[in-house]
Amino acid sequence: MHFNILTVFPEMFPGTLSGGVVGRALVNGIWSYKTINIRDFAINNYGSVDDEQFGGGAGMVMRPDVLGQALDSIKDKGKIIYFSPRGALLNQKLVHKFVNDEEKIFTLLCGRYEGIDQRVIDEYGITEVSIGDYVLSGGELAAQVFIDSSVRLLDNVLGGGAESTANESFEIGGLEWPLYTRPSVWRGHKVPEVLLSGHHGNIERWRKQQSDEITKERRPDLIKEK
Ligand code: ADE
């Protein structure tokens, strides 16, 4: 998987993506990225990439001529994604859809300021993606969330193979059950007896019941989705 990342802050990458399993996968060549500094395509020597909004209003908008040139500097753009709160909400199902896409190259456009000129989105047939119902100060964090959640699903990234993801929240149609490890008693708190019983059937039933309860309480919307 390869990511072209358009940003005015190339130094923010790889950022969080340099650590853990995703960082190791980067070193191992399972995924790669290249940053493109949008400022290299500024309209003047001051490095201007944005301008006032037509129609008035607070906040600057990233110029289409600058973004067009930045995008055109990339030979193989693959699927272009622009991160914005107006995009399709990224969930595990959507992550799988992107990962299973025939296209293995993604161009990630990270906006700053109020956003980007709509004509860029229309001209390039860009897919808009949001990582949640809140407003970030730029798309760079969203791009890292997108890359992390995608790369960890690729083969040979997680130690335990397919099984590592199979039991996670959202993959099981709800939220994951509570997890416990040694010591079996900590500050007087005991691990649920059933987990120490070695009875796989009972353990599985307990986990399913816990998962159902937690999902019903915290995220009833996930149950309706099923
Ligand atoms: N840019 C600003 N807010 C965002 C969000 N919620 N998701 C993705 N990109 C964004």
Side-chain angles (χ1 to χ4, degrees), residues 83-85 129-132 134-139 142:
F83 296 103
S84 121
V129 170
S130 165
I131 64 158
Y134 39 79
V135 181
L136 300 167
S137 47

Side-chain angles (χ1 to χ4, degrees), residues 5-6 11 18 40 68 74 81 85 99 129 139 145 179 195 225:
I5 304 162
L6 288 112
E11 68 277 10
S18 65
D40 290 346
I74 303 165
I81 292 170
V99 170
V129 170
V145 167
L179 306 172
L195 299 178
E225 243 178 46

Side-chain angles (χ1 to χ4, degrees), residues 71 78-84 86-90 94 97-98 101 103 106-110 116 118 120-130 146:
L71 281 165
K79 196 180 201 80
I80 310 177
I81 292 170
Y82 167 56
F83 296 103
S84 121
R86 293 174 51 205
L89 200 57
L90 189 68
L94 191 54
K97 205 170 145 227
F98 283 121
D101 200 303
E103 187 58 67
F106 293 89
T107 292
L108 309 181
L109 178 49
C110 305
I116 71 171
Q118 179 63 37
V120 178
I121 297 169
D122 301 338
E123 168 77 5
Y124 290 90
I126 292 176
T127 303
E128 286 184 81
V129 170
S130 165
F146 182 85

Side-chain angles (χ1 to χ4, degrees), residues 50-62 114-117:
D50 58 336
D51 212 324
E52 294 163 343
Q53 241 185 103
F54 279 127
M60 304 288 270
V61 177
M62 292 182 99
E114 203 54 33
I116 71 171
D117 190 299

Side-chain angles (χ1 to χ4, degrees), residues 138-212:
E140 288 77 8
L141 272 175
Q144 292 188 22
V145 167
F146 182 85
I147 294 172
D148 185 290
S149 56
S150 302
V151 165
R152 64 192 296 286
L153 295 182
L154 297 176
D155 289 345
N156 303 318
V157 174
L158 295 180
E163 211 190 308
S164 301
T165 52
N167 283 335
E168 289 177 330
S169 290
F170 309 116
E171 302 286 359
I172 55 175
L175 303 179
E176 200 179 26
W177 49 80
L179 306 172
Y180 297 91
T181 185
R182 292 188 188 87
S184 57
V185 183
W186 178 69
R187 296 190 182 176
H189 302 284
K190 286 189 190 133
V191 168
E193 206 65 51
V194 60
L195 299 178
L196 310 173
S197 69
H199 192 300
H200 295 300
N202 286 350
I203 292 172
E204 211 169 295
R205 264 187 297 280
W206 180 85
R207 285 178 168 166
K208 171 87 176 70
Q209 178 222 332
Q210 290 285 319
S211 164
D212 287 348

